[in-house]
Amino acid sequence: MKFKRTIVITGGAGFIGSHVVRLFVNKYPEYKIINLDKLTYAGNLANLKDIEDRPNYRFVKMDICDFDAFYQLMQDEHVDGIIHLAAESHVDRSIKDPFTFARTNVMGTLSLLQAAKLYWESLPEGYDGKRFYHISTDEVYGALEMNHPEGIEPPFTTKASSGAHHAAYGDDFFYETTKYNPHSPYSASKASSDHFVRAFHDTYGMPTIVTNCSNNYGPYQFPEKLIPLFINNIRHRKPLPVYGKGENVRDWLYVEDHTRAIDLIFHQGTVAETYNIGGFNEWKNIDIIKVVIQTVDRLLGRTEGEDMDLITHVTDRLGHDARYAIDSSKLQKELGWEPSLQFEEGIEKTVRWYLDHQEWMDNITSGEYEKYYESMYAGR
């Protein structure tokens, strides 16, 4: 079968990546979608069981740092689009092991860029019709001030009908023009990769796009992240470890809203531009935790809020940024995107999914999924 396009999605077995792969495979049967993933601890092909047999889908187990292998794949598959999500992304892990984050996030991105450059420049049409789309994070911008830390009650949806918005906890947001000021090894590695992507456009003319997104939540998220970890702990009545007082503020976006933005930007975004993707939805960590507890309790038939005593305050994380908040006005105005779910609706869907997929959660928390794929791909 001849496909109209061939697109590589890196990190496609991970949380956000699996949602992007599923969307593209289902929405664009005329595209060949190659899911490229190393299958580290956060990669899980069970996330894509529903589309693994589709004729326009192929999985390739590969390390993005393997330049030779990726360059060969570019040539063999005639790849004309790359959506790059593969990354080490957990701040706590980056504090303990910054070298792994530098290798994967910086050198891995550079490997992809160079392979794409060499292949696309070898073609008669050059860069025409090609696109390298790099997904980054709001954490590269550093932290925002919190001017109103007390006396504000959730929810904090801040989008107004005019497209303008006000701040719930401060008077500023991250804009596409905000100066980079990363504070953790993770965010420093992502900032560096962003700079390499832009440099390949400025130096070689490669058609690149960068997006910086706020915290995502939803189905298939690896359960070391706050929301799935706490859902599972509440279910089993285990402690809920909260950094410090839980006063740190984040902007939250349902993962399927992020994937819709990625689809739109990949196809209609302007080359060399940056787009911020956020939910206009600021919450203190402690308030999110309380909503999750109430929702899990209710859906499990417990008294709503009875598991509040599971909250356990622990020593704060090193360099824990106070507040992140994304301004998505550019994306709204230029491409017409906006979030589709209010946070309470998204949390309800998310909690229901994890409670209904306990086998998926148990396979991850037990490590069984890793053993399965290690045996499947042994020697490859």
Side-chain angles (χ1 to χ4, degrees), residues 8 10-11 35-40 59-71 73 84 86-88 100 102-109 111-112 115 380:
V8 169
T10 71
N35 171 10
L36 190 149
D37 201 295
K38 187 181 177 181
L39 294 183
T40 61
F59 171 71
V60 175
K61 186 176 186 294
M62 186 182 294
D63 184 345
I64 60 172
C65 293
D66 190 339
F67 169 82
D68 292 334
F70 187 71
Y71 184 43
L73 179 71
H84 177 35
E88 294 282 351
T100 295
R103 178 183 182 274
T104 299
N105 297 353
V106 184
M107 297 306 296
T109 300
S111 174
L112 300 178
R380 295 193 185 184

PDB file of all heavy atoms in Angstrom, residues 8 10-11 35-40 59-71 73 84 86-88 100 102-109 111-112 115 380:
ATOM      1  N   VAL A   8       7.298   9.612  11.619  1.00  0.00           N
ATOM      2  CA  VAL A   8       7.853   8.962  12.804  1.00  0.00           C
ATOM      3  C   VAL A   8       7.410   9.741  14.036  1.00  0.00           C
ATOM      4  O   VAL A   8       7.582  10.963  14.099  1.00  0.00           O
ATOM      5  CB  VAL A   8       9.391   8.898  12.746  1.00  0.00           C
ATOM      6  CG1 VAL A   8       9.964   8.478  14.100  1.00  0.00           C
ATOM      7  CG2 VAL A   8       9.849   7.930  11.663  1.00  0.00           C
ATOM      8  N   THR A  10       8.355   9.753  17.865  1.00  0.00           N
ATOM      9  CA  THR A  10       9.275   9.197  18.855  1.00  0.00           C
ATOM     10  C   THR A  10       8.625   9.214  20.236  1.00  0.00           C
ATOM     11  O   THR A  10       7.826  10.099  20.549  1.00  0.00           O
ATOM     12  CB  THR A  10      10.596   9.977  18.907  1.00  0.00           C
ATOM     13  OG1 THR A  10      10.376  11.264  19.504  1.00  0.00           O
ATOM     14  CG2 THR A  10      11.200  10.154  17.517  1.00  0.00           C
ATOM     15  N   GLY A  11       8.964   8.220  21.040  1.00  0.00           N
ATOM     16  CA  GLY A  11       8.333   8.119  22.357  1.00  0.00           C
ATOM     17  C   GLY A  11       6.878   7.740  22.270  1.00  0.00           C
ATOM     18  O   GLY A  11       6.085   8.050  23.171  1.00  0.00           O
ATOM     19  N   ASN A  35       5.880   4.240  15.115  1.00  0.00           N
ATOM     20  CA  ASN A  35       6.066   4.494  16.539  1.00  0.00           C
ATOM     21  C   ASN A  35       7.474   4.038  16.909  1.00  0.00           C
ATOM     22  O   ASN A  35       7.769   2.839  16.925  1.00  0.00           O
ATOM     23  CB  ASN A  35       5.012   3.727  17.340  1.00  0.00           C
ATOM     24  CG  ASN A  35       5.261   3.754  18.833  1.00  0.00           C
ATOM     25  OD1 ASN A  35       6.109   4.478  19.336  1.00  0.00           O
ATOM     26  ND2 ASN A  35       4.509   2.933  19.556  1.00  0.00           N
ATOM     27  N   LEU A  36       8.348   4.988  17.215  1.00  0.00           N
ATOM     28  CA  LEU A  36       9.735   4.683  17.554  1.00  0.00           C
ATOM     29  C   LEU A  36       9.938   4.901  19.045  1.00  0.00           C
ATOM     30  O   LEU A  36       9.757   6.005  19.551  1.00  0.00           O
ATOM     31  CB  LEU A  36      10.684   5.570  16.742  1.00  0.00           C
ATOM     32  CG  LEU A  36      12.170   5.234  16.799  1.00  0.00           C
ATOM     33  CD1 LEU A  36      12.849   5.618  15.482  1.00  0.00           C
ATOM     34  CD2 LEU A  36      12.872   5.952  17.946  1.00  0.00           C
ATOM     35  N   ASP A  37      10.283   3.832  19.754  1.00  0.00           N
ATOM     36  CA  ASP A  37      10.409   3.922  21.207  1.00  0.00           C
ATOM     37  C   ASP A  37      11.465   2.930  21.682  1.00  0.00           C
ATOM     38  O   ASP A  37      11.568   1.815  21.163  1.00  0.00           O
ATOM     39  CB  ASP A  37       9.063   3.616  21.876  1.00  0.00           C
ATOM     40  CG  ASP A  37       8.975   4.177  23.291  1.00  0.00           C
ATOM     41  OD1 ASP A  37       9.741   3.719  24.158  1.00  0.00           O
ATOM     42  OD2 ASP A  37       8.146   5.074  23.516  1.00  0.00           O
ATOM     43  N   LYS A  38      12.253   3.335  22.656  1.00  0.00           N
ATOM     44  CA  LYS A  38      13.280   2.475  23.246  1.00  0.00           C
ATOM     45  C   LYS A  38      12.683   1.491  24.239  1.00  0.00           C
ATOM     46  O   LYS A  38      13.314   0.508  24.610  1.00  0.00           O
ATOM     47  CB  LYS A  38      14.333   3.346  23.944  1.00  0.00           C
ATOM     48  CG  LYS A  38      15.540   2.599  24.468  1.00  0.00           C
ATOM     49  CD  LYS A  38      16.509   3.550  25.156  1.00  0.00           C
ATOM     50  CE  LYS A  38      17.701   2.796  25.761  1.00  0.00           C
ATOM     51  NZ  LYS A  38      18.631   3.729  26.464  1.00  0.00           N
ATOM     52  N   LEU A  39      11.456   1.734  24.671  1.00  0.00           N
ATOM     53  CA  LEU A  39      10.785   0.930  25.691  1.00  0.00           C
ATOM     54  C   LEU A  39      11.579   0.925  26.995  1.00  0.00           C
ATOM     55  O   LEU A  39      11.908  -0.125  27.549  1.00  0.00           O
ATOM     56  CB  LEU A  39      10.525  -0.501  25.204  1.00  0.00           C
ATOM     57  CG  LEU A  39       9.532  -0.645  24.052  1.00  0.00           C
ATOM     58  CD1 LEU A  39       9.321  -2.119  23.713  1.00  0.00           C
ATOM     59  CD2 LEU A  39       8.201   0.022  24.369  1.00  0.00           C
ATOM     60  N   THR A  40      11.877   2.126  27.468  1.00  0.00           N
ATOM     61  CA  THR A  40      12.419   2.254  28.814  1.00  0.00           C
ATOM     62  C   THR A  40      11.278   2.046  29.803  1.00  0.00           C
ATOM     63  O   THR A  40      10.160   1.687  29.415  1.00  0.00           O
ATOM     64  CB  THR A  40      13.038   3.648  29.028  1.00  0.00           C
ATOM     65  OG1 THR A  40      12.021   4.642  28.850  1.00  0.00           O
ATOM     66  CG2 THR A  40      14.173   3.893  28.039  1.00  0.00           C
ATOM     67  N   PHE A  59       5.613  -0.456  14.676  1.00  0.00           N
ATOM     68  CA  PHE A  59       6.434  -0.156  15.841  1.00  0.00           C
ATOM     69  C   PHE A  59       7.886  -0.506  15.555  1.00  0.00           C
ATOM     70  O   PHE A  59       8.183  -1.565  15.002  1.00  0.00           O
ATOM     71  CB  PHE A  59       5.963  -0.928  17.074  1.00  0.00           C
ATOM     72  CG  PHE A  59       6.926  -0.808  18.231  1.00  0.00           C
ATOM     73  CD1 PHE A  59       7.045   0.390  18.921  1.00  0.00           C
ATOM     74  CD2 PHE A  59       7.740  -1.876  18.590  1.00  0.00           C
ATOM     75  CE1 PHE A  59       7.957   0.525  19.965  1.00  0.00           C
ATOM     76  CE2 PHE A  59       8.648  -1.751  19.640  1.00  0.00           C
ATOM     77  CZ  PHE A  59       8.761  -0.555  20.327  1.00  0.00           C
ATOM     78  N   VAL A  60       8.803   0.389  15.960  1.00  0.00           N
ATOM     79  CA  VAL A  60      10.238   0.148  15.837  1.00  0.00           C
ATOM     80  C   VAL A  60      10.872   0.405  17.197  1.00  0.00           C
ATOM     81  O   VAL A  60      10.749   1.506  17.738  1.00  0.00           O
ATOM     82  CB  VAL A  60      10.892   1.061  14.777  1.00  0.00           C
ATOM     83  CG1 VAL A  60      12.405   0.880  14.767  1.00  0.00           C
ATOM     84  CG2 VAL A  60      10.315   0.781  13.402  1.00  0.00           C
ATOM     85  N   LYS A  61      11.527  -0.612  17.751  1.00  0.00           N
ATOM     86  CA  LYS A  61      12.257  -0.442  19.012  1.00  0.00           C
ATOM     87  C   LYS A  61      13.631   0.135  18.696  1.00  0.00           C
ATOM     88  O   LYS A  61      14.448  -0.506  18.026  1.00  0.00           O
ATOM     89  CB  LYS A  61      12.397  -1.769  19.749  1.00  0.00           C
ATOM     90  CG  LYS A  61      13.031  -1.636  21.143  1.00  0.00           C
ATOM     91  CD  LYS A  61      13.047  -2.977  21.855  1.00  0.00           C
ATOM     92  CE  LYS A  61      13.535  -2.829  23.296  1.00  0.00           C
ATOM     93  NZ  LYS A  61      14.952  -2.416  23.389  1.00  0.00           N
ATOM     94  N   MET A  62      13.881   1.370  19.175  1.00  0.00           N
ATOM     95  CA  MET A  62      15.131   2.047  18.832  1.00  0.00           C
ATOM     96  C   MET A  62      15.431   3.129  19.858  1.00  0.00           C
ATOM     97  O   MET A  62      14.529   3.784  20.381  1.00  0.00           O
ATOM     98  CB  MET A  62      15.041   2.680  17.436  1.00  0.00           C
ATOM     99  CG  MET A  62      16.335   3.289  16.915  1.00  0.00           C
ATOM    100  SD  MET A  62      16.115   4.070  15.282  1.00  0.00           S
ATOM    101  CE  MET A  62      15.736   2.621  14.280  1.00  0.00           C
ATOM    102  N   ASP A  63      16.700   3.322  20.121  1.00  0.00           N
ATOM    103  CA  ASP A  63      17.189   4.414  20.961  1.00  0.00           C
ATOM    104  C   ASP A  63      17.396   5.628  20.056  1.00  0.00           C
ATOM    105  O   ASP A  63      18.083   5.537  19.027  1.00  0.00           O
ATOM    106  CB  ASP A  63      18.512   3.989  21.604  1.00  0.00           C
ATOM    107  CG  ASP A  63      19.075   5.014  22.582  1.00  0.00           C
ATOM    108  OD1 ASP A  63      18.625   6.171  22.580  1.00  0.00           O
ATOM    109  OD2 ASP A  63      19.998   4.644  23.326  1.00  0.00           O
ATOM    110  N   ILE A  64      16.817   6.762  20.411  1.00  0.00           N
ATOM    111  CA  ILE A  64      16.971   7.948  19.565  1.00  0.00           C
ATOM    112  C   ILE A  64      18.419   8.429  19.496  1.00  0.00           C
ATOM    113  O   ILE A  64      18.761   9.226  18.611  1.00  0.00           O
ATOM    114  CB  ILE A  64      16.054   9.105  20.020  1.00  0.00           C
ATOM    115  CG1 ILE A  64      16.358   9.539  21.455  1.00  0.00           C
ATOM    116  CG2 ILE A  64      14.593   8.734  19.837  1.00  0.00           C
ATOM    117  CD1 ILE A  64      15.622  10.797  21.873  1.00  0.00           C
ATOM    118  N   CYS A  65      19.266   7.956  20.392  1.00  0.00           N
ATOM    119  CA  CYS A  65      20.683   8.316  20.341  1.00  0.00           C
ATOM    120  C   CYS A  65      21.455   7.494  19.308  1.00  0.00           C
ATOM    121  O   CYS A  65      22.625   7.789  19.038  1.00  0.00           O
ATOM    122  CB  CYS A  65      21.332   8.135  21.708  1.00  0.00           C
ATOM    123  SG  CYS A  65      20.726   9.279  22.959  1.00  0.00           S
ATOM    124  N   ASP A  66      20.828   6.462  18.755  1.00  0.00           N
ATOM    125  CA  ASP A  66      21.483   5.615  17.751  1.00  0.00           C
ATOM    126  C   ASP A  66      21.353   6.283  16.385  1.00  0.00           C
ATOM    127  O   ASP A  66      20.435   5.995  15.617  1.00  0.00           O
ATOM    128  CB  ASP A  66      20.851   4.228  17.751  1.00  0.00           C
ATOM    129  CG  ASP A  66      21.631   3.223  16.918  1.00  0.00           C
ATOM    130  OD1 ASP A  66      22.404   3.654  16.039  1.00  0.00           O
ATOM    131  OD2 ASP A  66      21.464   2.012  17.149  1.00  0.00           O
ATOM    132  N   PHE A  67      22.295   7.165  16.087  1.00  0.00           N
ATOM    133  CA  PHE A  67      22.232   7.956  14.857  1.00  0.00           C
ATOM    134  C   PHE A  67      22.179   7.070  13.617  1.00  0.00           C
ATOM    135  O   PHE A  67      21.369   7.282  12.711  1.00  0.00           O
ATOM    136  CB  PHE A  67      23.435   8.899  14.773  1.00  0.00           C
ATOM    137  CG  PHE A  67      23.584   9.553  13.427  1.00  0.00           C
ATOM    138  CD1 PHE A  67      22.849  10.675  13.094  1.00  0.00           C
ATOM    139  CD2 PHE A  67      24.452   9.026  12.472  1.00  0.00           C
ATOM    140  CE1 PHE A  67      22.960  11.266  11.849  1.00  0.00           C
ATOM    141  CE2 PHE A  67      24.577   9.613  11.221  1.00  0.00           C
ATOM    142  CZ  PHE A  67      23.828  10.737  10.906  1.00  0.00           C
ATOM    143  N   ASP A  68      23.066   6.082  13.524  1.00  0.00           N
ATOM    144  CA  ASP A  68      23.150   5.247  12.321  1.00  0.00           C
ATOM    145  C   ASP A  68      21.838   4.511  12.059  1.00  0.00           C
ATOM    146  O   ASP A  68      21.375   4.439  10.917  1.00  0.00           O
ATOM    147  CB  ASP A  68      24.294   4.234  12.454  1.00  0.00           C
ATOM    148  CG  ASP A  68      25.665   4.889  12.437  1.00  0.00           C
ATOM    149  OD1 ASP A  68      25.791   5.992  11.845  1.00  0.00           O
ATOM    150  OD2 ASP A  68      26.603   4.320  13.008  1.00  0.00           O
ATOM    151  N   ALA A  69      21.254   3.960  13.117  1.00  0.00           N
ATOM    152  CA  ALA A  69      20.005   3.213  12.952  1.00  0.00           C
ATOM    153  C   ALA A  69      18.871   4.137  12.511  1.00  0.00           C
ATOM    154  O   ALA A  69      18.068   3.781  11.634  1.00  0.00           O
ATOM    155  CB  ALA A  69      19.634   2.503  14.252  1.00  0.00           C
ATOM    156  N   PHE A  70      18.815   5.318  13.104  1.00  0.00           N
ATOM    157  CA  PHE A  70      17.731   6.227  12.730  1.00  0.00           C
ATOM    158  C   PHE A  70      17.926   6.771  11.312  1.00  0.00           C
ATOM    159  O   PHE A  70      16.959   6.909  10.556  1.00  0.00           O
ATOM    160  CB  PHE A  70      17.616   7.382  13.721  1.00  0.00           C
ATOM    161  CG  PHE A  70      16.405   8.247  13.459  1.00  0.00           C
ATOM    162  CD1 PHE A  70      15.137   7.774  13.726  1.00  0.00           C
ATOM    163  CD2 PHE A  70      16.542   9.516  12.919  1.00  0.00           C
ATOM    164  CE1 PHE A  70      14.007   8.552  13.463  1.00  0.00           C
ATOM    165  CE2 PHE A  70      15.427  10.299  12.657  1.00  0.00           C
ATOM    166  CZ  PHE A  70      14.161   9.818  12.932  1.00  0.00           C
ATOM    167  N   TYR A  71      19.154   7.061  10.949  1.00  0.00           N
ATOM    168  CA  TYR A  71      19.427   7.543   9.576  1.00  0.00           C
ATOM    169  C   TYR A  71      19.021   6.478   8.560  1.00  0.00           C
ATOM    170  O   TYR A  71      18.425   6.794   7.522  1.00  0.00           O
ATOM    171  CB  TYR A  71      20.904   7.893   9.444  1.00  0.00           C
ATOM    172  CG  TYR A  71      21.289   8.493   8.110  1.00  0.00           C
ATOM    173  CD1 TYR A  71      20.502   9.456   7.490  1.00  0.00           C
ATOM    174  CD2 TYR A  71      22.460   8.088   7.470  1.00  0.00           C
ATOM    175  CE1 TYR A  71      20.861  10.013   6.271  1.00  0.00           C
ATOM    176  CE2 TYR A  71      22.833   8.637   6.250  1.00  0.00           C
ATOM    177  CZ  TYR A  71      22.026   9.596   5.657  1.00  0.00           C
ATOM    178  OH  TYR A  71      22.393  10.140   4.438  1.00  0.00           O
ATOM    179  N   LEU A  73      16.706   4.203   9.023  1.00  0.00           N
ATOM    180  CA  LEU A  73      15.242   4.176   9.019  1.00  0.00           C
ATOM    181  C   LEU A  73      14.675   5.300   8.163  1.00  0.00           C
ATOM    182  O   LEU A  73      13.711   5.095   7.412  1.00  0.00           O
ATOM    183  CB  LEU A  73      14.717   4.294  10.453  1.00  0.00           C
ATOM    184  CG  LEU A  73      13.191   4.299  10.607  1.00  0.00           C
ATOM    185  CD1 LEU A  73      12.617   2.920  10.325  1.00  0.00           C
ATOM    186  CD2 LEU A  73      12.779   4.751  12.007  1.00  0.00           C
ATOM    187  N   HIS A  84       8.510  14.631  17.632  1.00  0.00           N
ATOM    188  CA  HIS A  84       9.507  14.172  18.608  1.00  0.00           C
ATOM    189  C   HIS A  84       9.030  14.388  20.037  1.00  0.00           C
ATOM    190  O   HIS A  84       9.049  15.506  20.550  1.00  0.00           O
ATOM    191  CB  HIS A  84      10.827  14.901  18.356  1.00  0.00           C
ATOM    192  CG  HIS A  84      11.910  14.586  19.327  1.00  0.00           C
ATOM    193  ND1 HIS A  84      12.079  13.347  19.897  1.00  0.00           N
ATOM    194  CD2 HIS A  84      12.911  15.360  19.842  1.00  0.00           C
ATOM    195  CE1 HIS A  84      13.116  13.370  20.708  1.00  0.00           C
ATOM    196  NE2 HIS A  84      13.635  14.570  20.707  1.00  0.00           N
ATOM    197  N   ALA A  86       9.953  11.707  22.468  1.00  0.00           N
ATOM    198  CA  ALA A  86      10.786  10.862  23.321  1.00  0.00           C
ATOM    199  C   ALA A  86      11.667  11.712  24.220  1.00  0.00           C
ATOM    200  O   ALA A  86      12.403  12.575  23.751  1.00  0.00           O
ATOM    201  CB  ALA A  86      11.650   9.946  22.461  1.00  0.00           C
ATOM    202  N   ALA A  87      11.582  11.466  25.527  1.00  0.00           N
ATOM    203  CA  ALA A  87      12.383  12.240  26.480  1.00  0.00           C
ATOM    204  C   ALA A  87      12.309  11.597  27.854  1.00  0.00           C
ATOM    205  O   ALA A  87      11.324  10.944  28.205  1.00  0.00           O
ATOM    206  CB  ALA A  87      11.869  13.680  26.581  1.00  0.00           C
ATOM    207  N   GLU A  88      13.369  11.791  28.610  1.00  0.00           N
ATOM    208  CA  GLU A  88      13.300  11.555  30.045  1.00  0.00           C
ATOM    209  C   GLU A  88      12.608  12.784  30.640  1.00  0.00           C
ATOM    210  O   GLU A  88      12.995  13.920  30.342  1.00  0.00           O
ATOM    211  CB  GLU A  88      14.699  11.407  30.635  1.00  0.00           C
ATOM    212  CG  GLU A  88      15.441  10.171  30.158  1.00  0.00           C
ATOM    213  CD  GLU A  88      14.981   8.911  30.863  1.00  0.00           C
ATOM    214  OE1 GLU A  88      14.206   9.025  31.841  1.00  0.00           O
ATOM    215  OE2 GLU A  88      15.378   7.811  30.437  1.00  0.00           O
ATOM    216  N   THR A 100      21.834  10.894  32.342  1.00  0.00           N
ATOM    217  CA  THR A 100      20.870  10.216  31.479  1.00  0.00           C
ATOM    218  C   THR A 100      19.972  11.216  30.769  1.00  0.00           C
ATOM    219  O   THR A 100      19.634  11.055  29.589  1.00  0.00           O
ATOM    220  CB  THR A 100      20.021   9.231  32.306  1.00  0.00           C
ATOM    221  OG1 THR A 100      20.867   8.205  32.813  1.00  0.00           O
ATOM    222  CG2 THR A 100      18.921   8.609  31.473  1.00  0.00           C
ATOM    223  N   ALA A 102      20.721  14.370  30.004  1.00  0.00           N
ATOM    224  CA  ALA A 102      21.501  15.070  28.980  1.00  0.00           C
ATOM    225  C   ALA A 102      21.672  14.181  27.748  1.00  0.00           C
ATOM    226  O   ALA A 102      21.536  14.638  26.605  1.00  0.00           O
ATOM    227  CB  ALA A 102      22.856  15.482  29.533  1.00  0.00           C
ATOM    228  N   ARG A 103      21.939  12.901  27.972  1.00  0.00           N
ATOM    229  CA  ARG A 103      22.143  11.990  26.847  1.00  0.00           C
ATOM    230  C   ARG A 103      20.875  11.872  26.002  1.00  0.00           C
ATOM    231  O   ARG A 103      20.905  12.074  24.786  1.00  0.00           O
ATOM    232  CB  ARG A 103      22.554  10.604  27.359  1.00  0.00           C
ATOM    233  CG  ARG A 103      22.745   9.590  26.234  1.00  0.00           C
ATOM    234  CD  ARG A 103      23.079   8.200  26.791  1.00  0.00           C
ATOM    235  NE  ARG A 103      23.305   7.254  25.706  1.00  0.00           N
ATOM    236  CZ  ARG A 103      22.337   6.565  25.101  1.00  0.00           C
ATOM    237  NH1 ARG A 103      21.069   6.743  25.464  1.00  0.00           N
ATOM    238  NH2 ARG A 103      22.623   5.716  24.120  1.00  0.00           N
ATOM    239  N   THR A 104      19.767  11.537  26.651  1.00  0.00           N
ATOM    240  CA  THR A 104      18.538  11.294  25.900  1.00  0.00           C
ATOM    241  C   THR A 104      17.953  12.579  25.330  1.00  0.00           C
ATOM    242  O   THR A 104      17.649  12.663  24.132  1.00  0.00           O
ATOM    243  CB  THR A 104      17.494  10.613  26.802  1.00  0.00           C
ATOM    244  OG1 THR A 104      18.013   9.361  27.245  1.00  0.00           O
ATOM    245  CG2 THR A 104      16.186  10.394  26.056  1.00  0.00           C
ATOM    246  N   ASN A 105      17.786  13.579  26.166  1.00  0.00           N
ATOM    247  CA  ASN A 105      17.055  14.775  25.745  1.00  0.00           C
ATOM    248  C   ASN A 105      17.859  15.687  24.837  1.00  0.00           C
ATOM    249  O   ASN A 105      17.294  16.332  23.948  1.00  0.00           O
ATOM    250  CB  ASN A 105      16.575  15.542  26.971  1.00  0.00           C
ATOM    251  CG  ASN A 105      15.587  14.744  27.798  1.00  0.00           C
ATOM    252  OD1 ASN A 105      15.143  13.669  27.405  1.00  0.00           O
ATOM    253  ND2 ASN A 105      15.263  15.242  28.976  1.00  0.00           N
ATOM    254  N   VAL A 106      19.167  15.754  25.056  1.00  0.00           N
ATOM    255  CA  VAL A 106      20.003  16.639  24.230  1.00  0.00           C
ATOM    256  C   VAL A 106      20.613  15.874  23.064  1.00  0.00           C
ATOM    257  O   VAL A 106      20.348  16.171  21.900  1.00  0.00           O
ATOM    258  CB  VAL A 106      21.109  17.301  25.077  1.00  0.00           C
ATOM    259  CG1 VAL A 106      21.903  18.285  24.206  1.00  0.00           C
ATOM    260  CG2 VAL A 106      20.510  18.025  26.268  1.00  0.00           C
ATOM    261  N   MET A 107      21.419  14.863  23.373  1.00  0.00           N
ATOM    262  CA  MET A 107      22.105  14.133  22.306  1.00  0.00           C
ATOM    263  C   MET A 107      21.126  13.331  21.448  1.00  0.00           C
ATOM    264  O   MET A 107      21.322  13.185  20.240  1.00  0.00           O
ATOM    265  CB  MET A 107      23.173  13.221  22.894  1.00  0.00           C
ATOM    266  CG  MET A 107      24.285  13.959  23.620  1.00  0.00           C
ATOM    267  SD  MET A 107      25.067  15.240  22.583  1.00  0.00           S
ATOM    268  CE  MET A 107      25.785  14.227  21.279  1.00  0.00           C
ATOM    269  N   GLY A 108      20.057  12.820  22.061  1.00  0.00           N
ATOM    270  CA  GLY A 108      19.052  12.113  21.285  1.00  0.00           C
ATOM    271  C   GLY A 108      18.368  13.023  20.286  1.00  0.00           C
ATOM    272  O   GLY A 108      18.171  12.662  19.121  1.00  0.00           O
ATOM    273  N   THR A 109      18.007  14.218  20.724  1.00  0.00           N
ATOM    274  CA  THR A 109      17.383  15.188  19.816  1.00  0.00           C
ATOM    275  C   THR A 109      18.351  15.588  18.707  1.00  0.00           C
ATOM    276  O   THR A 109      17.965  15.681  17.527  1.00  0.00           O
ATOM    277  CB  THR A 109      16.928  16.429  20.596  1.00  0.00           C
ATOM    278  OG1 THR A 109      15.982  16.036  21.590  1.00  0.00           O
ATOM    279  CG2 THR A 109      16.295  17.463  19.674  1.00  0.00           C
ATOM    280  N   SER A 111      20.746  13.801  17.488  1.00  0.00           N
ATOM    281  CA  SER A 111      20.861  12.656  16.583  1.00  0.00           C
ATOM    282  C   SER A 111      19.722  12.650  15.564  1.00  0.00           C
ATOM    283  O   SER A 111      19.949  12.460  14.354  1.00  0.00           O
ATOM    284  CB  SER A 111      20.843  11.360  17.403  1.00  0.00           C
ATOM    285  OG  SER A 111      20.819  10.232  16.570  1.00  0.00           O
ATOM    286  N   LEU A 112      18.509  12.870  16.022  1.00  0.00           N
ATOM    287  CA  LEU A 112      17.357  12.919  15.121  1.00  0.00           C
ATOM    288  C   LEU A 112      17.478  14.062  14.123  1.00  0.00           C
ATOM    289  O   LEU A 112      17.206  13.905  12.920  1.00  0.00           O
ATOM    290  CB  LEU A 112      16.066  13.077  15.919  1.00  0.00           C
ATOM    291  CG  LEU A 112      15.709  11.998  16.938  1.00  0.00           C
ATOM    292  CD1 LEU A 112      14.414  12.383  17.663  1.00  0.00           C
ATOM    293  CD2 LEU A 112      15.558  10.633  16.282  1.00  0.00           C
ATOM    294  N   ALA A 115      20.203  13.312  11.457  1.00  0.00           N
ATOM    295  CA  ALA A 115      19.773  12.277  10.522  1.00  0.00           C
ATOM    296  C   ALA A 115      18.726  12.825   9.545  1.00  0.00           C
ATOM    297  O   ALA A 115      18.781  12.559   8.337  1.00  0.00           O
ATOM    298  CB  ALA A 115      19.215  11.078  11.281  1.00  0.00           C
ATOM    299  N   ARG A 380      17.650  -8.199  19.968  1.00  0.00           N
ATOM    300  CA  ARG A 380      17.427  -7.325  18.815  1.00  0.00           C
ATOM    301  C   ARG A 380      18.242  -6.055  18.917  1.00  0.00           C
ATOM    302  O   ARG A 380      18.496  -5.569  20.000  1.00  0.00           O
ATOM    303  CB  ARG A 380      15.943  -6.975  18.697  1.00  0.00           C
ATOM    304  CG  ARG A 380      15.062  -8.186  18.384  1.00  0.00           C
ATOM    305  CD  ARG A 380      13.676  -7.755  17.976  1.00  0.00           C
ATOM    306  NE  ARG A 380      12.813  -8.907  17.783  1.00  0.00           N
ATOM    307  CZ  ARG A 380      11.557  -8.826  17.350  1.00  0.00           C
ATOM    308  NH1 ARG A 380      11.042  -7.648  17.077  1.00  0.00           N
ATOM    309  NH2 ARG A 380      10.829  -9.898  17.204  1.00  0.00           N
TER     310      ARG A 380
END
